Structure formats: C-alpha cells, structure tokens
Amino acid sequence: MPINKAVLAAFKAATRLRPDIKEFYKAQRVAEDLSARLALPNPRCRVDDITAPMPDGCALPLRVFTPLDIDFSLAEGFKVTEDFRGTVLFFHGGGWVNGDVDFYTDACSAMALRLERRVVSVDYRRAPEHRFPQAPEDCYEVARQLHAGELLADVDADHIVLFGDSAGGNLAAVVSLMARDRGEFLPRTQMLLYPVTYNDHDPVTSYFDSVRENGEDYLLSSRDIRGYMELYASSPADLHRPYFAPLLESDLSRQPRTLVVTAEYCPLRDEGEVYAQRLADDGGDVQCYRMLDAVHGYLLYPSVFNIVRDTYRIVKQFLDGDPLVQEGEPTWLGLLGTD
C-alpha cells in the first residue's frame, strides 16, 4: 500500500537530512527531553515513580501507569481500577541510546488506558555511557523482581506481559531468552513491536529485502541502525551474541506466547517476521501482523491515528480475545497464527 506522496516526500527529506546518529544522539536527547516537558498529564491515568535496586547498587528508575475508572456518578469522580487484567512491563525504543520513560509517558498512559492494565516502564541504562549487556541485564533484573513480587505486591506473575518497541522489542525478546537460560522465572507472554532481532543492516550484505527497500526514505535508515549498534556494542564480538541479536539463537524453544507486529515501510520488517516464524518453528504459540502503510516508530503517534488504534485492536485480540475485524480499507496483514 503506497504512502501518500506528500508524506513520502517529507519522510525522504527528513531521513536524508538527518546527521550521523553517532554524532547526533546527544542533540536528539535534548529534543526528546524538551518534547517530554511539553506533554500534558492524562487525568485518567495515575503516574508513580519508583525504583528497582540493581545488583551493582544502582536504583533504577521505573514509572508506573495505573488506569483509572471514570465514573461521574461518584462524588470523587475517579477511582483506581481494582481488577487489573494484568501488568505490562514495557521497554522503550530509541536504539538503546535515545528514548526514556519521560519521552514515552504519553504512549504509556495511552497503553494503560487502552489495555486496561497497569504499565511499568523501565528506564534502563542507555548506551554509549552503558554499553551492552547493561540494558538487557537491567531489564532482566526488573522482570525477575516483578515476577517474584518484590516490586509490586499485588502482581500476578501469570499475567505479566513483556512489551517493547524497536530496541525495546529486542530487549523483551532477550529477557525471555535470558529467563529461559537462567531458570529464575519464565514469562508467559511477550509482545514485540517492530523489533530489532538481527545484526546486519548493510544494504549490500543483509539477508533481508526490507533493509534495502526501506533503509533510506522512511525516517529510520539502515545507516541509523548500524550507528546505534556501534554505540551499543562493547566490542565487535557482541554483534554475534544472541543476547544482542536474538535471531542468532539456534534454539528458540520454551519462549512465551508471542505477538510480533511489524511496519510495512520499516527496515526491520523482515527480521521481525522471520523471528516470529523461527519461534513458531521451534514450537511457540505465535501471532504476527504487518501494519500496512506504516513506518518505524508509529507507536509514538497520537492515539487518534488509525495505525495506533488498530495496533491496539490487535493487541486486545491477542491478550483478551476481543473480536478483530477490519473496517474499510485494510490496515494490517495477518501473517502467522492469524486468520
């Protein structure tokens, strides 16, 4: 499905004018911080800041988003939802370098309200100040504590959902692999939104056509991805480790029930879909959807956009069994484990 020509022209101009991410990431952080400060709080969602103690003594920041019931027949107007459907442990995107809980506050508030679940957003330590494997170790330890009831006393471990977008999708997949390998807990459910799963994004050598088809004109470029990986890796050897690029893992058995959602015009599209297929081939319960006419990073669009609305419809079908029916022009393509 073609993108509107005017929108495509804007995408192309923005992508080609973007500086090298290895030099630009600090300026991008400043811009993201400013954007986060301009965001208005959502009165339908309570926000609490807590910390999780890390093995090295760091108090890792977390932000907890609690959906509120709106009942104007009540004198107090709002009351905290008691019957949680579960808890979403969210790992934000940004190439392991950008993004943080502040920048994702609007998205997480919308997530909590749309999914009727508490959302715990993890402010894992970012590269290049903290290179691989710091981010996955931080995310793993938070997941372990949440499953053990050490962070929030009322969490049902069977209803925890690991969720991440882009680099956060990579971290969710890696945490699930680490949990299986270490044997301390085992997540039941994970959702990966346009995840990074592989280590080669050179248009000449990549296995994946989406790197060549979508790697120049759609906001996230193949050059950006390679730059982020250079900032994230501690050494070239890291690129060949499954906890860095989970598609390199030879055994993807005993993984959570999984939803993978990709974007049609994203350079990471094919590797996300191949990861879903690999999970299914190794015995997993997997659903995979491709969002049509979508580019990388669309989770951060306002929730009124059809692409965001329909992604949450897919998520609600996956989590709660809600009916999933396309209306009008199709906005997604079901690929694996889908009707």
Side-chain angles (χ1 to χ4, degrees), residues 55 132-142 144 174-187 243 254-255:
F132 177 85
Q134 189 65 67
E137 291 291 351
D138 284 351
C139 294
Y140 174 85
E141 179 59 18
V142 173
R144 186 199 65 76
V174 168
V175 167
S176 293
L177 290 174
M178 295 168 77
R180 178 200 64 185
D181 296 345
R182 297 179 181 182
E184 294 183 288
F185 67 97
L186 192 62
Y243 290 171
R254 294 188 294 124
Q255 289 299 280

Side-chain angles (χ1 to χ4, degrees), residues 190 252 255 258 260 274-284 286:
Q190 66 178 355
L252 291 177
Q255 289 299 280
T258 301
V260 176
V274 169
Y275 192 69
Q277 184 65 60
R278 282 280 317 283
L279 288 169
D281 291 345
D282 282 357
V286 186

Side-chain angles (χ1 to χ4, degrees), residues 96 124-125 130-140 171 232:
W96 310 279
Y124 58 84
R125 284 172 278 188
H130 303 278
R131 293 177 180 262
F132 177 85
Q134 189 65 67
E137 291 291 351
D138 284 351
C139 294
Y140 174 85
L171 292 170
Y232 180 45

Side-chain angles (χ1 to χ4, degrees), residues 6 64 84 114 118-119 145 148 153 176 182 197 225 248 276 293 320:
V64 182
F84 289 105
R114 285 178 174 269
R118 178 169 43 203
V119 174
Q145 292 180 28
S176 293
R182 297 179 181 182
T197 65
I225 303 169
L248 299 176
D293 206 17
D320 301 327

